[in-house]
Amino acid sequence: MALALYNPNFAKLQINKFKGTCTTCHRESYSAKRCTRCGIARYCNKTCQGQDFVHHKNICVRISQFEQAKDRIDATLRQEIFQRARYIGISCFLGSLPDRTRYALIGQRVAVVVHIMESTVDESAEIPSCCIVRVRDVINEDANVIFIIKDALQAMQLVFLLGVANFMILLNVPFLVPSTEGKTGNIFVMHVNQVSFII
C-alpha cells in the first residue's frame, strides 16, 4: 500500500483553483461558478450572475473572442514563443508591452494579441512602405502599429495579411507611450518578423 504525502504547494494551488470572489457581491467562496463563456468572472449564484449581466456581457464577448484567437495561434509559432529567452506567456493587454526604456534593458517578455480595427496604406509611394494599423486590446485600449517596411515583397505580403487577418500578435516591439494622456500610443515595426497574424 502506497502512502500519500501531503504537499503544501499542491494544496495551496488546489485551494486557489476553486476559491473565488463573486464579481457582483464580492463574497469569497469555494463554490463560486465561473462564467461559461469567458471563464474569468465568478458568481455565487444565478441571482448575482443576472445582476451583473448588463455590465459583463460586452467584456465577456471580447474576452471569448480573444481566447478563440489565442487558440488559433499556429502550433509552431506558439512553441517558438515559449522557447524564446525570457518569454513568459501570451497576453491580450497592450499594457503588457514594455516601454522603450524597459525594452532596451530586458527586451519583450510577453507576446501580445491585439484586434485589428482598421489599416491605412500610403499609396503615394511605389512600394507601400508605410502602413498605419489601429489595434485594440481586450479592454478596448487603442494603439497605432506603424509599419515602415523597405522590402517590396514584405510590403506586399503585409498588405495581403492585413486584408485577411482579424488579429495580430506583437512579438518583438516596444510601446511608445505618449506623454499626454488621452492620446493613442505608437508601436513602430521595421520588419514583418516582429509581428504575426492570426487568420
Side-chain angles (χ1 to χ4, degrees), residues 29-88:
S29 168
Y30 288 100
S31 60
K33 303 279 191 276
R34 289 180 187 265
C35 171
T36 53
R37 180 188 279 162
C38 71
I40 292 176
R42 293 177 185 244
Y43 301 102
C44 298
N45 50 43
K46 295 237 180 236
T47 307
C48 283
Q49 186 177 13
Q51 288 173 357
D52 192 48
F53 180 73
V54 173
H55 303 290
H56 180 65
K57 66 179 178 180
N58 292 330
I59 191 69
C60 182
V61 169
R62 279 199 68 71
I63 290 168
S64 62
Q65 286 173 343
F66 274 77
E67 289 302 318
Q68 288 170 11
K70 282 166 66 175
D71 291 342
R72 291 197 314 269
I73 295 173
D74 181 59
T76 310
L77 176 62
R78 185 182 295 275
Q79 186 176 2
E80 184 186 315
I81 287 170
F82 286 105
Q83 285 178 347
R84 288 177 187 229
R86 302 185 306 270
Y87 261 69
I88 56 174

Side-chain angles (χ1 to χ4, degrees), residues 62 66 92-97 112-118 132-146 170 175-178 180-187:
R62 279 199 68 71
F66 274 77
C92 298
F93 300 95
L94 282 167
S96 301
L97 286 174
V112 178
V113 176
V114 289
H115 189 207
I116 299 170
M117 302 307 292
E118 62 181 344
I132 300 171
V133 182
R134 190 166 60 86
V135 296
R136 184 171 286 165
D137 71 1
V138 72
I139 57 169
N140 294 324
E141 291 289 326
D142 286 357
N144 292 320
V145 179
I146 302 168
L170 305 171
F175 189 27
L176 306 181
V177 183
T180 56
E181 288 185 23
K183 287 190 176 180
T184 305
N186 292 324
I187 300 163

Side-chain angles (χ1 to χ4, degrees), residues 2-16:
L3 287 173
L5 296 175
Y6 174 73
N7 183 332
N9 294 329
F10 179 74
K12 191 182 283 187
L13 282 172
Q14 290 299 101
I15 288 167
N16 290 335

